[in-house]
Amino acid sequence: MATAILSPEQVSMDAFRATLVRDAGSNTIADKLCAVGEYQQIARGGELPVDPDEDRLVFIASGSAKLFASSPVNRANGHDDDNPTLSTQVLAFHFPGDIVSVLRQADGDFRLAALSDLEVVIFRADQFLDVAQNDPAVIRTVLARSLQALHRSRTRMMQMGHKSARQRIADFLVSIAERICGRTSGECEFNLPMSRRDIGDSLGLTIETVSRQFADLKAEGLIETSGRSGIRLRNLDALASRGGCQ
């Protein structure tokens, strides 16, 4: 008997459906949401096109992404204000299974960029909620994931005000290990999808400081690196201690 070959779109929709059903959502509601979702592929380095009027919820089916904000930099000393320089701030990193809220452009320049080849399912936020309101479990799923993202964002902001560069980097590596590998203890090995510059932008550090902290952690025997992205965390418990984690 021949095995059916699913299209990338169907695989992504099935991943979204499985996420809702696993979190106690209704198959019927999941099917209705899939019917209004839009599948899209975004190549590494590309961005989700901006929408001037609609808030969107974006399900990450595969790949990794960063959510960032852009704002004009105040310039003086004779610079041309008609062509302002833009400053970017990485707000969050996202991985498969995440549901990301991307606000309309009218409320700020928030963008989702692919750190690796990305597959997403995009929903208009109002349309998603109109369908999901018929199943409280689906609403709970979206709310729980939104609260997790908010908690990570608040934790990072607190770190930027109270933790040293070493603590920020160590804590970042521990949190990424948990999200990518599901590990909180022992050792693990993975590829960091984001650049050193992205890490610095998300933690309020310069790229030079990030590189120096990686070198120091490597000298301490806590991490090993290979190439631009390969990293092995040799002792997550020690790294957590360096990061001031409880």
Side-chain angles (χ1 to χ4, degrees), residues 24-74:
S26 161
N27 272 302
T28 301
I29 295 299
D31 288 342
K32 289 182 178 179
L33 287 170
C34 286
V36 299
E38 174 194 348
Y39 169 78
Q40 190 167 326
Q41 293 179 324
I42 305 174
R44 179 183 177 185
E47 295 181 12
L48 178 73
V50 298
D51 191 312
D53 304 312
E54 297 283 354
D55 294 335
R56 290 167 293 175
L57 294 175
V58 180
F59 173 75
I60 308 295
S62 69
S64 54
K66 65 178 178 181
L67 182 68
F68 69 96
S70 296
S71 59
V73 176
N74 290 328

Side-chain angles (χ1 to χ4, degrees), residues 15 24 40 44 59 61 67 73 77 80 91-92 103 108 111 113 134 147-148 154 170 180 184 199 202 206 213 230 245:
Q40 190 167 326
R44 179 183 177 185
F59 173 75
L67 182 68
V73 176
N77 301 323
D80 183 3
L91 305 175
L103 299 179
R111 305 197 182 197
N134 296 311
L147 290 175
Q148 288 173 352
R154 286 178 172 174
I180 292 180
T184 58
I199 295 172
S202 73
T206 65
Q213 295 304 323
C245 304

Side-chain angles (χ1 to χ4, degrees), residues 53-235:
D53 304 312
E54 297 283 354
D55 294 335
R56 290 167 293 175
L57 294 175
V58 180
F59 173 75
I60 308 295
S62 69
S64 54
K66 65 178 178 181
L67 182 68
F68 69 96
S70 296
S71 59
V73 176
N74 290 328
R75 305 200 300 175
N77 301 323
H79 289 290
D80 183 3
D81 292 335
D82 291 332
N83 297 287
T85 299
L86 290 179
S87 172
T88 62
Q89 172 68 49
V90 175
L91 305 175
F93 297 109
H94 292 286
F95 302 96
D98 285 355
I99 298 176
V100 189
S101 173
V102 182
L103 299 179
R104 64 190 123 190
Q105 193 176 29
D107 290 338
D109 195 2
F110 300 98
R111 305 197 182 197
L112 190 71
L115 295 171
S116 61
D117 289 345
L118 194 64
E119 292 182 290
V120 297
V121 183
I122 307 162
F123 304 90
R124 283 175 37 201
D126 56 353
Q127 194 172 37
F128 184 102
L129 295 173
D130 284 344
V131 175
Q133 67 181 344
N134 296 311
D135 189 336
V138 174
I139 296 295
R140 282 197 300 271
T141 293
V142 176
L143 179 59
R145 290 167 185 264
S146 297
L147 290 175
Q148 288 173 352
L150 179 61
H151 173 70
R152 286 194 294 264
S153 178
R154 286 178 172 174
T155 299
R156 190 176 66 254
M157 289 182 67
M158 224 165 56
Q159 290 175 348
M160 290 168 67
H162 300 284
K163 288 191 174 184
S164 67
R166 176 68 54 83
Q167 288 175 317
R168 296 183 211 180
I169 293 296
D171 187 61
F172 171 82
L173 292 174
V174 170
S175 66
I176 292 297
E178 181 176 7
R179 298 186 68 193
I180 292 180
C181 303
R183 299 292 301 273
T184 58
S185 186
E187 67 175 55
C188 64
E189 188 172 0
F190 54 93
N191 288 323
L192 281 169
M194 67 288 293
S195 67
R196 301 289 194 267
R197 185 176 300 280
D198 284 335
I199 295 172
D201 285 346
S202 73
L203 298 176
L205 302 172
T206 65
I207 186 173
E208 293 81 9
T209 299
V210 172
S211 297
R212 185 166 58 251
Q213 295 304 323
F214 268 71
D216 289 347
L217 289 172
K218 187 174 180 179
E220 290 182 43
L222 292 176
I223 70 172
E224 295 176 3
T225 59
S226 58
R228 291 187 175 184
S229 61
I231 188 164
R232 179 186 176 202
L233 309 185
R234 301 186 63 188
N235 190 329

